[in-house]
Amino acid sequence: MSIDLLQKQIIEKKNPTVLGLDPRPEYIPPHILSAHIAEKGETLQAAADAYYTFNCGLIDALADIIPAVKPQSAYYELLGHAGVEALQKTVAYAKSKGLYVIVDGKRNDIGSTAAAYSDAYLGRVTIGDTTFAPFDADSLTVNAYLGSDGIDPFIETCKKFDKSVFALVKTSNPSGGQLQDLLCGDRNLYTAVGDLMARIALDTVGEYGYSCVGIVVGATYPTDARTLRKRLKNSFFLVPGYGAQGGGAADVAPCFDEYGHGAIVNSARAILCAWKQSEAGDGSDYQSAARAEALRMRADIADVVTVL
C-alpha cells in the first residue's frame, strides 16, 4: 500500500514530519500577494494564485528534507473555485517533486456519497471514454465516526489505486474528549474507533506492517497516544498538535514504535510564517526561513525519536 511509500521516504530522509500547507492571505509574503493583486485586482483569483506561488516556493525549498505535505482543503475552499484549482495544482506540483501528499479534508458520508468523496480525492472519474484523477492525492483524512460503512468505500479505492486514508480517532482539539473519551463498556470511544479502523483494514497491511487506514492522534494527548500505539500495531499515526497547538517533541514520541516508525508529525503555521520572525521580516527570505524552521523541527524530534 502507499503507506509503505510514506514510511520509506521518512526512513530515507530521517525526518518524520509533514508540512501543513494551510495558507491564508496574511501568511503570504507581501511581495507575492501584491504582485498577483497588481495583475488581477483584489480578487479571489489573485489570492488563489498567490497561494500556489507561495506553496511552490515552499515545496522547492523543502522537498529534499521533508517526506510529505498536507494541504488543508478548507483554506482553499475559502477562495471558491479558484482556491480549489490552487489545491489541485498544489497536489500535482508536490507529487512532481516526489513528495507524499495527504489532503486534509476530513471527508465522510455513507454509501454512494462516501464513494464519490473517495473517487474525487483518491480515485478516478470517467467522462465518456476519458478517465480523470480529479485530485490524485496519495492520502486523505476521513471522519471515522459514521462507522465502517463510511470508511469501506475509501478502503476499496485505496486497494484499487494504492492509496491511504487517515481516520480521526483521538484529535488534538481541547473539546474532543467531550465525545471521544466517553466510556463504551471497558473502552473509551476513541479506543473503540481505533480498534474498528484496525480491524476493517487488516487485510491491507504492507511491507512495513501498516494498513491503508492510518489514524489521527493528537500530540496534545501523549498518554492516550501511548495507549493507542501499544494497542494498534498496524496503524500509522498522523500527528497534529505539535508547535502552535502546544505539543512538543516529548509529546509526539509515544506515537512512534521502537524503530522510530509508524507516525508522521504535522507543522503548518510555524513553517509557513517563519519569515515573520526572520531578520528581513518582509518575506523576501521566506524560503530560507521556512527551511530553517523545518530543520529545527526535524532536529527537535530527532532528540527523542530515532528513525532506523
Side-chain angles (χ1 to χ4, degrees):
M1 303 306 294
S2 76
I3 207 72
D4 288 328
L5 175 61
L6 176 59
Q7 183 61 75
K8 182 179 180 182
Q9 292 201 45
I10 290 171
I11 293 170
E12 290 175 350
K13 295 180 178 179
K14 302 297 182 185
N15 187 8
T17 70
V18 53
L19 169 61
L21 285 174
D22 304 350
R24 296 185 65 92
E26 60 267 29
Y27 296 172
I28 309 299
H31 70 280
I32 294 176
L33 185 58
S34 62
H36 286 285
I37 289 176
E39 181 181 349
K40 307 170 191 77
E42 294 182 346
T43 61
L44 296 176
Q45 187 67 58
D49 290 346
Y51 279 16
Y52 180 62
T53 299
F54 183 49
N55 288 346
C56 290
L58 291 170
I59 290 167
D60 288 344
L62 302 177
D64 64 318
I65 59 172
I66 63 171
V69 294
K70 183 177 72 64
Q72 163 54 260
S73 63
Y75 293 97
Y76 301 87
E77 293 169 22
L78 182 68
L79 302 181
H81 69 86
V84 173
E85 182 182 22
L87 174 59
Q88 290 176 306
K89 290 164 60 179
T90 294
V91 171
Y93 190 76
K95 292 186 70 171
S96 78
K97 296 296 182 176
L99 297 177
Y100 194 86
V101 180
I102 306 165
V103 171
D104 193 354
K106 300 180 177 67
R107 302 304 193 207
N108 199 270
D109 213 303
I110 58 173
S112 59
T113 308
Y117 278 134
S118 183
D119 290 343
Y121 286 96
L122 304 174
R124 306 287 186 270
V125 61
T126 299
I127 309 297
D129 295 326
T130 306
T131 299
F132 301 90
F135 286 92
D136 200 26
D138 295 298
S139 187
L140 175 70
T141 60
V142 297
N143 188 339
Y145 283 82
L146 276 73
S148 61
D149 58 351
I151 302 297
D152 287 340
F154 293 94
I155 294 177
E156 290 307 308
T157 302
C158 289
K159 291 177 178 178
K160 188 174 182 180
F161 297 108
D162 195 20
K163 305 288 187 175
S164 71
V165 294
F166 286 95
L168 301 179
V169 171
K170 181 60 179 173
T171 57
S172 60
N173 59 304
S175 66
Q178 292 174 348
L179 296 177
Q180 295 165 24
D181 291 349
L182 292 175
L183 284 175
C184 298
D186 61 349
R187 299 178 293 177
N188 294 106
L189 177 57
Y190 75 84
T191 307
V193 174
D195 289 347
L196 175 63
M197 295 301 102
R199 186 168 66 251
I200 64 178
L202 195 58
D203 66 338
T204 69
V205 171
E207 175 186 354
Y208 289 99
Y210 302 105
S211 76
C212 72
V213 179
I215 64 174
V216 177
V217 181
T220 46
Y221 299 102
T223 300
D224 298 332
R226 182 176 290 106
T227 298
L228 288 168
R229 179 73 284 161
K230 290 179 180 178
R231 191 180 190 103
L232 305 176
K233 302 293 187 183
N234 302 122
S235 299
F236 201 98
F237 288 14
L238 172 61
V239 188
Y242 174 92
Q245 294 186 55
D251 299 312
V252 306
C255 297
F256 295 84
D257 68 14
E258 64 270 29
Y259 303 106
H261 296 179
I264 191 164
V265 184
N266 180 71
S267 178
R269 201 181 323 160
I271 296 176
L272 300 183
C273 297
W275 63 268
K276 294 187 177 185
Q277 310 301 323
S278 69
E279 185 174 346
D282 61 359
S284 59
D285 61 347
Y286 79 95
Q287 290 175 294
S288 60
R291 186 176 178 88
E293 173 59 23
L295 288 169
R296 185 210 63 77
M297 180 183 177
R298 182 178 70 176
D300 187 37
I301 293 176
D303 283 342
V304 296
V305 175
T306 299
V307 179
L308 300 178

